[in-house]
Amino acid sequence: MESTDIFVGGEDSGARQVKVSPVVLFNVADHYQRRTDDKRRVIGTLLGRVNANGTVEVTNCFPLPHSEKVKEFKEVAVDNIYNETMHTLHRRLNTTEEPVGWYATGTETDISSVVIHEFYARECRNPVHLLVDAGLVSGRFDVNAFVSTAYQINDRALSSELRPIPVCMKPGKAEKVGLDVLFKNRRREEGDKSLPIMASEIENLEKSMERLLELLDVVGKNVDAVVAGEVEGNVTTGRFLAETLTMVPRMNASDFEQLFGDNMRDLLMVAYLCKLTQTQLIVAEKLLAIDTTPKH
Amino acid sequence: MDSATEVLDQPQIERVQLEGLVVMKVIKHCQENFPMTVMGQLLGMDRNETLEITNCYPFISPPTGAATAGPDGVDTVAFEREQHRYQREMMWCVREARIDHQVVGWYQSSGSQMGSFLSSQWIETQFNYQINLSNIVCLVYDPVRTEEGTLSIHAYRLTKKFMDVMRKQDFSSLGFSNLSVSASTIIEEVPVTLHNSSLINAALVELDYADEFSGANDVELSRLSISDKPVLEQSMDFLISDLDALGREQSKYSYYMRNLVRGQGQLLERMRKRRAENANRTAKGEEPLQEDDDVQQMFEKEPSRLDTKILLKELDSYVESIKSLASEGIVKQYGVSGVQAGEE
């Protein structure tokens, strides 16, 4: 199958790297699970923005119903009305997201990929193609990105191929927090019941502290080993550790005592006032419930 | 016993099962529009006692100029029409993509409001949902606390008792106490569990070990930063302004009470006169006048207690979150002192 990923009509795209928001993977996986039995794969439109430096940020996507003849790889039909409608609806929600390409599930590109890629080339300039191995054929949830590159002799385009480009994840801070909860939930399902489903701030803090101590332990052991001459020291690690240690602000004990005391007093005062407010609120509620029936 | 109606009703759901997809979509939508408050629709199905939320889509937000057009300006009407069309088209798309298309609730971000969402408008919306469909929840997402490192997403619904109050539309203190509804029993939280398909779990394993989520990018460690003072301060600001509002409500109420007491004397006087007049009329063989319509009027004048109840509930949630933030701060303080002690 050498010639499968070649098609005519593409041109060199400026895209150098694709940054994918995790929500896109969730959407693709969900779409794949909802496919009909006769579908070999599912496709959909990717939304996002193209940066001037050549990175394409994929921040959203939506499914696109399509049908293709499995045997001949020749006929592909996409539901254009659906695509248009979804696109219009999305523009009402988010004006900064534009179509940037399309996704498909599977492990390799083929002739129908080429046809679909041509279709998207009309939707947006230089579409990117995200290939998600939702069938887990390769044994892992693999994500690859492709752009089309044109082969030209003089001005005549001969053919073009789908060339892979690097992909990375780009989660926002809140998305990371959300994913962290999902990671923990997965470990819970596997039997690690040490965590509640929705941990509170203080429970999370406890976990973070534990993790910090764990990491300090690892670092401490490593440093001890290097000092004892058992392991050869790594210069980069050493520099990094030294830099980290110098970042701890140095202050004399009395200043720190002062700062610590002040902060602690503030926080305790807040906690105390909160308790007081809570009591007042209960009293207020009780007062509101008094019977106003006039006595005859 | 209301068990008879219970049987007729659909079984009440007892927990909410949230797909990871929904969590991610809600976070994306709410975070993008922060600090604006946005809403969306939740889709899924209810099975026995579990409400499964499997997908969602965002609602369009009103155009920013609509605020100037006034509450019943032409813009609002046009927006509502657009909202309806949008929802109809979105539902068509959802069905085409074979996504569950049963409405099971709605979600809302609390914007910059520090987790507060309760308002008469919220209650109105939730009531309208709940009166038509029994198993409806509202997911409330707090972008501020999530940004600080703790996912804050909770499911709420109106309690059965409060639904009765809403049906009667009687917001006097008598109406509340007759149905034994207090500020803490207006809404109830439904416990949330998370669920992911095996395929999504496979993707999660992949992500868990990706560079973007380990090392310096680990959320566990970024949580240790000592920066939540502004959040604490802002929460306190909201608490104080709500306390002021509560104070105003209280004085409004005590003003009413004063008038009521003062009016009671006059009322009794009038009723005595009326009774005497009635005695006269019956003596003359005429129809007696109504005796207690004035009393009735007196009751109807009681200001709605709903706003006060809402304020109380709001204050309670502020206090809870401030308490949690303060205790977090105290623990971090000791952490810092540990580091300093090690330095010396």
Side-chain angles (χ1 to χ4, degrees):
Chain A
M1 296 247 288
E2 276 169 36
S3 61
T4 47
D5 49 4
I6 290 180
F7 75 98
V8 178
E11 57 181 38
D12 187 27
S13 103
R16 298 274 174 270
Q17 196 192 21
V18 182
K19 287 185 172 174
V20 186
S21 181
V23 71
V24 174
L25 296 191
F26 280 77
N27 267 322
V28 175
D30 188 68
H31 184 198
Y32 183 69
Q33 280 170 323
R34 287 180 191 284
R35 75 195 189 281
T36 45
D37 287 338
D38 56 314
K39 285 266 168 62
R40 195 169 52 98
R41 60 173 184 183
V42 292
I43 64 164
T45 304
L46 296 174
L47 300 163
R49 58 193 73 90
V50 182
N51 293 335
N53 63 359
T55 50
V56 179
E57 282 179 40
V58 181
T59 52
N60 208 346
C61 67
F62 60 82
L64 178 63
H66 83 300
S67 65
E68 51 188 313
K69 293 252 170 69
V70 185
K71 290 235 171 73
E72 298 106 59
F73 289 136
K74 267 173 194 162
E75 260 183 58
V76 188
V78 293
D79 191 339
N80 208 3
I81 300 170
Y82 186 92
N83 193 29
E84 289 291 312
T85 315
M86 267 316 254
H87 188 189
T88 324
L89 292 179
H90 265 281
R91 212 166 16 219
R92 277 293 286 115
L93 287 167
N94 194 327
T95 44
T96 57
E97 286 176 346
E98 286 292 319
V100 288
W102 64 293
Y103 69 80
T105 55
T107 45
E108 52 187 29
T109 54
D110 53 34
I111 287 189
S112 32
S113 302
V114 172
V115 179
I116 301 167
H117 205 84
E118 271 178 356
F119 167 73
Y120 275 97
R122 286 196 294 268
E123 294 276 309
C124 55
R125 261 174 63 85
N126 305 328
V128 290
H129 172 37
L130 212 59
L131 193 62
V132 184
D133 184 10
L136 305 180
V137 180
S138 60
R140 52 190 284 256
F141 198 86
D142 210 6
V143 182
N144 290 298
F146 298 90
V147 286
S148 65
T149 319
Y151 289 115
Q152 287 179 328
I153 296 176
N154 290 333
D155 287 336
R156 247 184 82 208
L158 281 185
S159 68
S160 62
E161 68 165 356
L162 288 174
R163 183 170 53 86
I165 53 168
V167 197
C168 69
M169 288 296 132
K170 189 184 170 285
K173 198 176 171 201
E175 282 181 314
K176 269 190 192 173
V177 174
L179 278 170
D180 189 55
V181 172
L182 295 178
F183 293 155
K184 285 191 178 130
N185 186 60
R186 187 183 60 81
R187 282 183 215 135
R188 247 181 79 84
E189 280 171 6
E190 282 172 2
D192 176 13
K193 300 266 183 232
S194 66
L195 285 158
I197 300 164
M198 288 282 174
S200 68
E201 263 100 354
I202 206 91
E203 283 161 333
N204 271 331
L205 194 60
E206 194 187 331
K207 275 279 147 195
S208 292
M209 290 284 194
E210 273 173 25
R211 178 114 173 88
L212 184 66
L213 288 176
E214 218 173 86
L215 286 174
L216 285 176
D217 204 40
V218 170
V219 173
K221 277 201 182 117
N222 180 269
V223 171
D224 285 346
V226 172
V227 170
E230 290 162 21
V231 185
E232 204 183 322
N234 182 327
V235 182
T236 328
T237 317
R239 284 246 171 84
F240 184 73
L241 282 177
E243 267 169 31
T244 313
L245 283 177
T246 51
M247 265 153 72
V248 178
R250 290 193 165 271
M251 56 201 315
N252 58 46
S254 66
D255 279 355
F256 180 72
E257 197 81 351
Q258 173 86 29
L259 200 65
F260 182 79
D262 283 354
N263 262 326
M264 196 54 95
R265 263 193 296 281
D266 283 354
L267 286 168
L268 288 176
M269 179 57 108
V270 168
Y272 168 72
L273 286 176
C274 271
K275 285 257 164 64
L276 194 65
T277 316
Q278 217 159 18
T279 324
Q280 294 282 329
L281 289 180
I282 294 167
V283 175
E285 166 97 54
K286 285 269 177 289
L287 285 177
L288 288 173
I290 51 168
D291 196 356
T292 53
T293 325
K295 321 271 175 306
H296 290 277
Chain B
M1 285 294 283
D2 52 5
S3 60
T5 50
E6 201 94 330
V7 177
L8 290 174
D9 274 352
Q10 280 172 297
Q12 190 84 5
I13 50 142
E14 267 164 28
R15 64 193 150 264
V16 170
Q17 185 181 297
L18 208 54
E19 283 294 323
L21 173 71
V22 181
V23 176
M24 296 310 288
K25 277 178 105 167
V26 170
I27 290 177
K28 177 185 151 42
H29 181 215
C30 297
Q31 215 69 37
E32 267 175 357
N33 292 287
F34 180 77
M36 232 164 62
T37 303
V38 288
M39 284 176 252
Q41 189 89 72
L42 297 173
L43 305 165
M45 61 178 99
D46 52 329
R47 216 174 57 186
N48 304 329
E49 283 167 352
T50 310
L51 187 72
E52 294 178 6
I53 304 178
T54 54
N55 217 318
C56 64
Y57 66 84
F59 286 153
I60 45 176
S61 12
T64 35
T68 52
D72 22 48
V74 193
D75 271 356
T76 329
V77 178
F79 170 68
E80 253 167 39
R81 204 176 298 132
E82 196 179 342
Q83 175 96 343
H84 274 131
R85 213 191 58 222
Y86 168 83
Q87 283 187 34
R88 209 174 44 239
E89 284 183 8
M90 191 55 110
M91 278 317 262
W92 174 77
C93 288
V94 160
R95 265 195 295 271
E96 283 289 297
R98 298 160 53 80
I99 294 166
D100 292 332
H101 54 263
Q102 184 190 332
V103 172
V104 292
W106 54 302
Y107 68 83
Q108 189 187 3
S109 90
S110 55
S112 57
Q113 291 281 93
M114 297 295 155
S116 110
F117 60 93
L118 202 61
S119 65
S120 43
Q121 207 189 348
W122 184 90
I123 287 179
E124 188 77 22
T125 318
Q126 179 68 11
F127 174 71
N128 284 336
Y129 270 117
Q130 250 173 275
I131 206 157
N132 294 321
L133 301 149
S134 63
N135 288 329
I136 287 286
V137 292
C138 177
L139 277 185
V140 179
Y141 169 78
D142 183 348
V144 181
R145 281 173 90 171
T146 304
E147 191 88 353
E148 288 297 318
T150 302
L151 178 68
S152 170
I153 194 161
H154 299 277
Y156 295 100
R157 65 171 173 218
L158 298 175
T159 56
K160 277 203 159 150
K161 281 178 179 168
F162 186 69
M163 285 295 285
D164 291 337
V165 176
M166 281 299 279
R167 267 190 212 107
K168 287 192 177 149
Q169 289 287 312
D170 177 9
F171 300 123
S172 64
S173 47
L174 212 57
F176 274 103
S177 61
N178 276 348
L179 293 157
S180 57
V181 172
S182 66
S184 52
T185 51
I186 290 180
I187 53 168
E188 59 186 346
E189 197 182 335
V190 191
V192 173
T193 58
L194 293 170
H195 175 263
N196 276 314
S197 64
S198 310
L199 185 59
I200 304 261
N201 271 333
L204 281 175
V205 175
E206 198 74 18
L207 285 174
D208 202 351
Y209 295 100
D211 284 347
E212 289 86 354
F213 299 97
S214 45
N217 294 317
D218 199 337
V219 189
E220 296 255 292
L221 298 179
S222 63
R223 213 174 265 145
L224 289 171
S225 73
I226 325 171
S227 66
D228 54 8
K229 273 284 174 57
V231 182
L232 187 62
E233 276 165 22
Q234 233 172 317
S235 302
M236 307 256 303
D237 277 346
F238 279 116
L239 180 72
I240 290 164
S241 76
D242 260 16
L243 276 173
D244 281 346
L246 185 69
R248 278 197 297 278
E249 283 286 318
Q250 300 272 56
S251 61
K252 222 191 281 172
Y253 192 61
S254 59
Y255 178 72
Y256 158 75
M257 286 296 283
R258 242 192 342 265
N259 276 350
L260 187 72
V261 173
R262 201 183 299 151
Q264 225 150 60
Q266 295 167 4
L267 189 72
L268 283 176
E269 182 68 16
R270 208 163 344 149
M271 275 170 74
R272 211 167 42 79
K273 270 188 192 158
R274 179 69 55 89
R275 244 175 243 145
E277 202 187 327
N278 274 350
N280 254 339
R281 287 170 85 105
T282 25
K284 282 189 209 154
E286 285 171 35
E287 196 71 359
L289 289 166
Q290 191 91 38
E291 253 184 40
D292 53 354
D293 57 341
D294 289 332
V295 186
Q296 220 66 38
Q297 259 175 23
M298 212 64 179
F299 274 120
E300 275 156 22
K301 269 197 305 198
E302 184 178 356
S304 162
R305 311 301 299 135
L306 185 61
D307 289 342
T308 319
K309 298 265 176 198
I310 291 173
L311 273 172
L312 281 169
K313 179 75 194 162
E314 281 281 277
L315 282 165
D316 198 52
S317 74
Y318 279 138
V319 168
E320 281 303 325
S321 66
I322 291 172
K323 260 162 75 180
S324 152
L325 286 170
S327 51
E328 194 191 0
I330 291 172
V331 172
K332 279 184 183 170
Q333 281 272 305
Y334 276 111
V336 173
S337 93
V339 173
Q340 275 292 329
E343 270 287 281
E344 280 149 24

